[in-house]
Amino acid sequence: LRESEGAEEPLLRRRRIAGAARGVAVRAAWLLGAALLCGHVSVAEATSIRTRAARSHNVSTRISRIDSLLPTTQVVAPPGVKEEARPLPFAFDLILPFFYNTDPDQSLSGKPSFEVNPEARLTWSQRLEAPVRISALLDVNADQFTRRSDNSANADIILGRLRAQYESGRNDQQWQPFAYWQPNLIFSQFFAQRVDTWNDLGLGVARYLDFGPGLRRVAVAGNTRDAAVVTLGIEISGSRRFRDGGPASVAAFANPSVNWQMTPQWSFAAQADLTYRWFERFLDRERRDQLATPVLTLEYQPSERWLPRPGSGLARALGAPLVDFQVFFSRQHSNIDQARFRQFGLGPMLRTGWRF
């Protein structure tokens, strides 16, 4: 009887953790929704076009950096967690980047500086009985520069995303339509005051092609990603943005990507976010922006020899550690001089994750 009870303890513990995580996710979603519905931020007239555009460019670049990183537990399973026929739906990541960043607002004053951008990310993904996968993301991150020209450079954000994507379960390399809602709350330093809100509604289509050793196409199946050495991807989409701190807009996106698993420990990823955005007429001006943000990421998975014994309490607490080195460049052209920017950054990041 005692042996039976001991065997049930891990299962019960996992259920309690999953239940608590669902509660946290529901509360976070409720708070995010409440913040979005609590009224408009009356800062549009008080904030200059230059400051508003610089903040938007900075946030857009950070979203590109966020999207360039898979959840840690999709890269490596946490020690002591066995692979299951039905993967655990939740993943929680902690990410700590250290960047040299020529933030657009900083560079105008000749003050490029080092940046610390601590980030916490909760993701959930579940394939339904219908050929649809539902996924959600909640990301909270703060931006801190060692030097800044004013507080607008330090923009803290809470990013949410709810996405529904077609997934047949038989061929994961086919074209997959998707729809999404992406709310984004932007705050001044230390989340002191909400200064902008974005609500993006979008439709798009995605496709990923997987290649094995010798760059031979992996045979069609429900899950070919695990056998891939190189993955080529493309996402094409369009969205409508509703915004408090500025004019509404529509945008078209193209996001090509390449992922290369060089060795069991080393991998390389390249992604480019290409955006053309049309703004509604605002303050008697029309605005059109073209933004290109390539992001390169080199990733290292530490050897098990350097980590605590799998299955130990320390290993579970440590999660699935990874070390990344990232380089990004962002160039925004606009028909308005105040909305033209260049930004460059590079540096290491430490991250770990857990799934449940």
Side-chain angles (χ1 to χ4, degrees):
L1 181 58
R2 290 181 179 177
E3 292 180 356
S4 175
E5 291 175 351
E8 291 179 357
E9 285 183 1
L11 178 60
L12 294 175
R13 188 181 302 111
R14 182 178 297 176
R15 288 177 177 173
R16 285 197 297 271
I17 293 173
R22 292 188 186 96
V24 171
V26 169
R27 290 184 181 89
W30 185 89
L31 290 172
L32 184 63
L36 291 169
L37 296 173
C38 69
H40 294 294
V41 179
S42 57
V43 300
E45 293 79 14
T47 306
S48 70
I49 292 178
R50 183 71 187 184
T51 299
R52 196 164 51 241
R55 182 186 294 122
S56 297
H57 179 271
N58 189 15
V59 171
S60 296
T61 300
R62 285 161 61 192
I63 292 174
S64 297
R65 286 157 46 187
I66 291 170
D67 289 340
S68 69
L69 297 174
L70 287 173
T72 302
T73 51
Q74 288 188 25
V75 180
V76 53
V81 177
K82 296 181 179 179
E83 293 296 330
E84 300 183 5
R86 188 175 186 180
L88 299 172
F90 285 95
F92 179 71
D93 281 20
L94 291 176
I95 306 171
L96 186 59
F98 299 90
F99 281 111
Y100 173 81
N101 189 342
T102 61
D103 176 80
D105 192 59
Q106 307 277 86
S107 59
L108 289 175
S109 304
K111 292 184 178 181
S113 72
F114 291 98
E115 170 197 20
V116 180
N117 184 207
E119 177 182 346
R121 177 169 62 181
L122 177 68
T123 56
W124 172 83
S125 179
Q126 189 74 59
R127 186 176 179 273
L128 307 181
E129 293 184 4
V132 175
R133 177 171 293 278
I134 305 295
S135 60
L137 174 147
L138 179 64
D139 188 284
V140 180
N141 68 85
D143 216 14
Q144 302 299 321
F145 289 90
T146 56
R147 301 175 63 189
R148 63 182 186 274
S149 55
D150 59 39
N151 286 330
S152 68
N154 287 331
D156 301 337
I157 65 175
I158 299 178
L159 170 68
R161 184 181 297 133
L162 182 64
R163 174 163 164 157
Q165 181 163 319
Y166 172 78
E167 188 176 292
S168 68
R170 298 183 301 273
N171 180 4
D172 64 351
Q173 300 187 58
Q174 64 187 157
W175 288 101
Q176 299 177 340
F178 62 85
Y180 67 91
W181 169 50
Q182 180 172 293
N184 193 348
L185 306 179
I186 305 172
F187 297 83
S188 58
Q189 188 177 18
F190 303 125
F191 297 93
Q193 180 182 7
R194 183 163 59 97
V195 296
D196 206 348
T197 303
W198 301 351
N199 274 290
D200 293 356
L201 296 174
L203 296 172
V205 63
R207 189 177 188 185
Y208 297 90
L209 301 178
D210 294 322
F211 299 83
L215 293 182
R216 292 187 295 271
R217 280 286 301 276
V218 178
V220 170
N223 180 13
T224 61
R225 200 63 43 82
D226 293 342
V229 175
V230 175
T231 299
L232 303 180
I234 180 69
E235 289 192 6
I236 301 172
S237 62
S239 75
R240 169 73 172 176
R241 171 171 293 170
F242 303 92
R243 183 179 178 188
D244 284 348
S249 61
V250 295
F253 304 92
N255 308 115
S257 63
V258 179
N259 289 273
W260 176 25
Q261 188 68 45
M262 298 183 290
T263 71
Q265 274 73 46
W266 290 93
S267 63
F268 173 79
Q271 174 178 305
D273 288 354
L274 309 175
T275 306
Y276 195 105
R277 185 171 296 278
W278 298 262
F279 290 85
E280 291 184 350
R281 192 174 184 86
F282 183 68
L283 298 179
D284 202 31
R285 306 185 73 170
E286 293 184 352
R287 178 177 159 192
R288 304 288 183 266
D289 290 353
Q290 303 90 47
L291 175 63
T293 307
V295 182
L296 307 178
T297 306
L298 181 65
E299 188 165 79
Y300 175 69
Q301 176 186 334
S303 171
E304 290 186 358
R305 302 193 310 270
W306 301 353
L307 301 175
R309 178 175 53 85
S312 67
L314 183 57
R316 288 192 293 270
L318 184 61
L322 292 170
V323 180
D324 295 272
F325 186 86
Q326 197 169 77
V327 179
F328 68 90
F329 176 77
S330 186
R331 170 71 181 271
Q332 178 167 292
H333 179 75
S334 178
N335 63 323
I336 295 178
D337 292 341
Q338 297 96 321
R340 296 175 184 170
F341 301 105
R342 292 183 180 180
Q343 186 178 7
F344 169 78
L346 78 166
M349 64 177 71
L350 306 175
R351 62 188 184 116
T352 188
W354 302 262
R355 66 186 185 191
F356 42 91

